[in-house]
Structure formats: C-alpha cells, structure tokens
C-alpha cells in the first residue's frame, strides 16, 4: 500500500496563496457561485417558439454539442486531479475541485435549457459531426485516461493540450463567443445568455490554469516542447473541422454568423496561448497568472 505523504497544511509549508492556482481558486470562490436552477428561462420559451425552423435547428445543435462536451469533461477530469494529488500539488488540486464543480454546473445548465426551453428528449447524438466524435469520444478520454497508468510530465502535457488548448481554448471559447454574440445582437434567449455569461467566466479560469500547467511543465523540462507542439498540430485541424462541419450543414447560417469570424477568433486565441507556452522554456515570468 502506498504511504500517504504528511499533511501539508499542518506543516511549515502551509498554502502558497500567491501561486497562480490558488489565486484562480480564490476567484472561483468569488465568481463561480451561481445556480443554474435560479436562471429565469421564461422569456426563452416564448423566444424559442418565435424562431424559424433553421434557427431552432442551429440553437439545438450548438446547445447539444456544448452539453455533451461539458459532460465529457466531468467524466474525464478526475485522472488529472489524481496525478496532481499524488505529486503533492495541493494548490492545483484545490483549484481543480472548483473546476470540476463548475463543469458539473455547466452540464446541469445546458440540460435544463434542453428540457425546459427546447423541450427535447430525443437522442441528440445525431447532431454530432465526425470531427466532434473524434475529439470527445476518442482523443479527450484517451489522453486523460492515459494518466492513470502514465503520470509522466509528457502524458500530463498531452492531456493538458487536449483539454486546455483544444477542448476549452478553441472549441468552448470560440463557440461561447459566437453563441453569445449572435443572441446578444438579436436580443434573444436572455436566460441562455445569462447562463452563458457565467459559463464563459468560469471557462476563462479553466483555460488560465491549463496555460499555467503547460507553462510549468515546459519550463521544468524544456525538452517537452516538441511533445506539446506535436499534440497541438494533431488536434487543431480536428477542432477547426468541427466548426467547418457545422457551418457546412446550413446553406445560409442563421443569425448572421460568419465562418471566417469564428475561425479568425479561434486561431487568434490559440496563437496567443501557443506563444505564451513556448516562451516558458526561457522566460520564468510566463508562470505569472494571465489575468485576461
């Protein structure tokens, strides 16, 4: 039986309250306390009835993709928590407790919208594209489950790239940006918009932590950068493929959404984080929390 390490918080070590993970944990305690059940979806029901068939199809498709994606993260995050706990990284584990709780709330919120607004109880897996299935049913679970038998820094880097840079940094952030913007421009579905505002704020902390984790790993072992770079190059085309496959389903995309706007936002955000992690090989300041 593996011997558990001594309790850190009753030792001289204490907690590093200035560390990026604990600062993110503090923000989660202040900003992450919202209840999906308290969001008023009353006007959303009437707005939904007034949408065209194509608009409802798109809203149902996007919501279903987010709901399934958030559920995937809830299912797949625990191996990373286990690895960090075994390494004694208590500040990071504390943040991840909030991380997992928030992902659970996102899953709860989207399912509530599907039940109460879209009134949808069919199998929505039919709305998933080939690239989506590859990312969420193959790449994400495989990378995270690999940590159960291989907790090496290289395996952690592959898992963090898959989750932070691709699932959240490209797909979730880009999707939420377009989703929210389209509804805001057209003054539609205010309850969904309110929930999305909470979700976007939560996800910004999750991405900030993932960039920190990858930067920490690369700074400690610069030779990991080719592993990170290879994984990014493998998965970015799949992520952008999900966006392209979704747009290809509509002759005219509802709500004035433009493919180039989505792809431009995604690649810009990806590029900034890519450069930040790459700099971690030589710049210790990169480990400071990016408050954006």
């Amino acid at each position: 039986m593996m011997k558990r390490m001594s309790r850190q918080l009753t030792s001289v070590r204490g907690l590093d309250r200035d560390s990026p993970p604990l600062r993110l944990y503090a923000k989660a305690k202040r900003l992450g306390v919202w209840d999906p059940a308290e969001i008023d979806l009353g006007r959303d029901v009437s707005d939904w009835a007034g949408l065209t068939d194509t608009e409802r199809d798109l809203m149902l498709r996007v919501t279903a993709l987010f709901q399934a994606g958030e559920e995937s993260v809830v299912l797949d995050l625990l191996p990373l928590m286990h690895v960090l706990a075994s390494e004694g990284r208590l500040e990071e584990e504390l943040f991840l407790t909030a991380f997992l709780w928030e992902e659970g709330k996102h899953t709860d919120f989207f399912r509530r919208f599907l039940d109460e607004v879209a009134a949808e109880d069919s199998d929505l897996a039919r709305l998933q594209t080939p690239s989506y299935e590859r990312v969420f049913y193959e790449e994400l679970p495989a990378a995270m489950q690999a940590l159960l038998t291989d907790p090496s820094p290289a395996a952690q880097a592959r898992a963090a790239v898959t989750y932070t840079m691709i699932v959240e940094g490209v797909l979730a952030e880009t999707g939420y940006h377009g989703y929210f913007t389209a509804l805001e421009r057209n003054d539609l579905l205010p309850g969904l918009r309110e929930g999305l505002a909470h979700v976007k704020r939560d996800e910004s902390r999750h991405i900030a932590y993932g960039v920190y984790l990858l930067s920490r790993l690369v700074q400690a072992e610069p030779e990991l950068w080719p592993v990170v770079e290879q994984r990014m190059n493998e998965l970015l085309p799949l992520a952008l493929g999900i966006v392209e496959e979704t747009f290809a389903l509509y002759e005219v995309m509802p709500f004035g959404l433009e493919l180039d706007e989505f792809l431009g936002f995604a690649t810009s955000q990806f590029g900034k984080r890519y450069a930040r992690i790459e700099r971690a090989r030589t710049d210790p300041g990169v480990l400071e929390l990016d408050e954006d």
Side-chain angles (χ1 to χ4, degrees):
M1 179 181 295
M2 182 177 68
K3 182 179 179 181
R4 184 179 294 276
M5 66 183 66
S6 350
R7 303 296 183 188
Q8 297 179 36
L9 299 191
T10 52
S11 71
V12 295
R13 178 188 182 281
L15 278 175
D16 182 358
R17 297 192 181 277
D18 291 325
S19 66
L22 215 62
R23 286 163 57 196
L24 287 169
Y25 179 57
K27 291 178 74 171
K29 289 185 291 183
R30 293 196 313 273
L31 303 174
V33 183
W34 61 280
D35 184 353
E38 292 182 352
I39 292 176
D40 183 1
L41 296 176
R43 205 192 100 188
D44 292 53
V45 174
S46 59
D47 280 359
W48 184 264
L51 297 178
T52 67
D53 289 345
T54 303
E55 290 169 342
R56 277 197 297 270
D57 184 83
L58 177 62
M59 282 292 103
L60 178 62
R61 184 179 305 277
V62 173
T63 305
L65 295 183
F66 280 124
Q67 198 279 326
E70 298 287 0
E71 181 182 347
S72 294
V73 174
V74 172
L75 294 172
D76 295 323
L77 188 63
L78 286 174
L80 179 60
M81 297 179 71
H82 177 76
V83 168
L84 295 172
S86 69
E87 292 182 349
R89 299 185 184 277
L90 186 58
E91 287 84 358
E92 295 186 45
E93 190 182 1
L94 283 174
F95 173 67
L96 287 178
T97 63
F99 191 134
L100 184 58
W101 179 59
E102 288 163 355
E103 295 291 0
K105 287 197 297 181
H106 302 170
T107 304
D108 179 10
F109 174 69
F110 288 122
R111 188 62 248 183
R112 183 176 170 229
F113 182 87
L114 291 170
D115 291 338
E116 298 179 22
V117 178
E120 183 60 59
D121 59 4
S122 66
D123 184 355
L124 298 177
R126 70 182 188 279
L127 302 177
Q128 296 166 7
T129 69
S131 294
Y132 184 95
E133 292 179 349
R134 170 82 181 275
V135 170
F136 285 96
Y137 296 129
E138 297 178 30
E139 298 294 346
L140 178 62
M144 302 304 285
Q145 291 296 315
L147 295 173
L148 296 174
T149 54
D150 176 13
S152 67
Q156 292 181 47
R158 284 189 289 269
V161 167
T162 306
Y163 181 69
T164 299
M165 294 294 288
I166 300 301
V167 169
E168 288 208 319
V170 174
L171 295 175
E173 186 177 50
T174 301
Y176 290 136
H177 170 75
Y179 203 16
F180 185 88
T181 299
L183 297 176
E184 187 81 5
R185 284 174 184 167
N186 295 278
D187 190 25
L188 290 168
L189 304 170
L192 179 56
R193 275 185 279 154
E194 181 183 345
L196 286 172
H198 290 299
V199 171
K200 286 171 59 182
R201 190 165 55 218
D202 292 346
E203 298 289 10
S204 70
R205 294 189 295 275
H206 303 173
I207 294 169
Y209 169 72
V211 171
Y212 164 81
L213 171 58
L214 282 164
S215 298
R216 173 174 66 72
L217 291 167
V218 168
Q219 188 168 102
E221 299 184 31
E223 62 273 17
L224 284 177
W225 175 247
V227 174
V228 171
E229 189 174 38
Q230 179 181 355
R231 188 63 175 158
M232 290 179 178
N233 291 336
E234 289 171 354
L235 294 182
L236 182 59
L238 280 175
L240 297 180
I242 294 172
V243 178
E244 292 168 343
E245 288 165 2
T246 300
F247 268 79
L249 295 170
Y250 300 90
E251 185 174 347
V252 177
M253 182 60 80
F255 307 113
L257 297 176
E258 298 287 343
L259 177 60
D260 288 346
E261 181 181 357
F262 269 71
L263 295 180
F265 180 85
T267 54
S268 173
Q269 295 295 92
F270 179 88
K272 286 187 286 188
R273 291 168 188 140
Y274 182 104
R276 183 178 178 84
I277 296 164
E278 185 178 22
R279 288 202 316 273
R281 294 180 295 173
T282 56
D283 180 3
V286 169
L287 289 185
E288 289 301 313
L289 184 63
D290 185 352
E291 299 289 354
D292 295 335

